[in-house]
Amino acid sequence: MSAVRVAELADLEPGTARRVEVDGVGVALVRLGDDVYAIGDRCSHADVSLSGGDVDEDECTLECPKHGSAFDLRTGEPQSLPALRPVPTWAVTVRDGQIYLEET
Ligand code: FES
């Protein structure tokens, strides 16, 4: 898959998550400073949108709003129960203020 443009950097509020779709798949975008992370928006524990959860900037995680599993934004791995399986991640490139995703 080639890189897909999904959003403008200026539209992402730092420290919050925003849902976008890539080929019909929900992706949670999170901006921390100048870095942008992209993980699957669907919690691996149940069908819940992770982009409705809280970002922990120090831990670099996004917390599921339903039961509180925190997913590492770099790896997609859950850092706490009850989720056991990772969510997918995408490689993020920011070029000329535009955010591009590529499957990892
Ligand atoms: S639905 Fe996300 S931790 Fe349960």
Side-chain angles (χ1 to χ4, degrees), residues 41 43 48-54 62-71:
D41 189 47
C43 184
V48 172
S49 176
L50 293 177
S51 57
D54 292 330
L62 176 58
E63 183 180 287
C64 176
K66 181 86 170 177
H67 303 120
S69 281
F71 290 86

Side-chain angles (χ1 to χ4, degrees), residues 8 33 35 44 57 61-62 66 74 76 83-84 86 102:
E8 290 189 24
D35 295 325
S44 63
E57 299 191 33
T61 58
L62 176 58
K66 181 86 170 177
R74 297 158 292 202
L84 297 172
E102 211 165 341

Side-chain angles (χ1 to χ4, degrees), residues 9-94:
L9 184 63
D11 291 341
L12 286 188
E13 191 176 330
T16 63
R18 178 174 153 199
R19 177 187 165 91
V20 295
E21 290 209 359
V22 176
D23 294 334
V25 176
V27 178
L29 289 181
V30 176
R31 178 179 178 182
L32 297 180
D34 288 334
D35 295 325
V36 178
Y37 300 91
I39 67 172
D41 189 47
R42 184 178 185 271
C43 184
S44 63
H45 182 237
D47 189 10
V48 172
S49 176
L50 293 177
S51 57
D54 292 330
V55 175
D56 185 323
E57 299 191 33
D58 295 331
E59 298 294 328
C60 198
T61 58
L62 176 58
E63 183 180 287
C64 176
K66 181 86 170 177
H67 303 120
S69 281
F71 290 86
D72 192 306
L73 293 167
R74 297 158 292 202
T75 65
E77 293 283 345
Q79 304 300 300
S80 55
L81 297 172
L84 297 172
R85 289 172 289 115
V87 293
T89 58
W90 283 260
V92 180
T93 306
V94 180

